[in-house]
Amino acid sequence: MAGTSDTPRPIAAVLDWRWLWPAARLALVSAYLIGGVQKLMDFPRAIAEQAHFGLQPAALWAVAAIAVELIGSVLVVVDRFVWFGAGALGVLTLVAMLAANDFWHMSGHDRFMALNAFFEHLGLIAGLVLVSIISWRKRRA
């Protein structure tokens, strides 16, 4: 029947809250914002992080990571060119998860931890895809 919902009224009220959509976008990219600022404030450590994961030239990868984390996050937060910002963050996340969570080369507890982190990052990429879809549909409507 049209007009009915299986969503309880209190939940629907929360989902209708006007600040939920911006708060969710901010929460989704919060780790990238923090990471980008930390890398920017301690650039030598950012270079060392990239080198640790075998990404060379490390300084170039560090600059790219900072730019993507900060610019991509801002685009998602301000709800403009979300497809671009979220897409860039998704690609960065894919590179990071392949470099840092290579569970297929591990065993024991290290494999367990890397496998979990790998799929957590995959879920984050899915969240970035979803925020892009929602933003695009809202603009189309």
Side-chain angles (χ1 to χ4, degrees), residues 29-40 46 49-50 61-77 85 88-89 92-93 96:
V29 300
S30 61
Y32 296 109
L33 284 170
I34 292 167
V37 169
Q38 285 182 322
K39 287 177 183 73
L40 192 59
E49 177 186 39
Q50 302 306 312
W61 278 98
V63 168
I66 292 166
V68 169
E69 286 179 333
L70 295 178
I71 296 168
S73 295
V74 168
L75 291 174
V76 171
V77 169
L89 291 169
L92 177 71
T93 303

Side-chain angles (χ1 to χ4, degrees), residues 109-125:
H109 184 70
D110 289 340
R111 176 181 166 77
F112 176 81
M113 296 299 290
L115 182 69
N116 283 339
F118 183 92
F119 283 99
E120 287 171 357
H121 284 88
L122 185 60
L124 184 54
I125 292 170

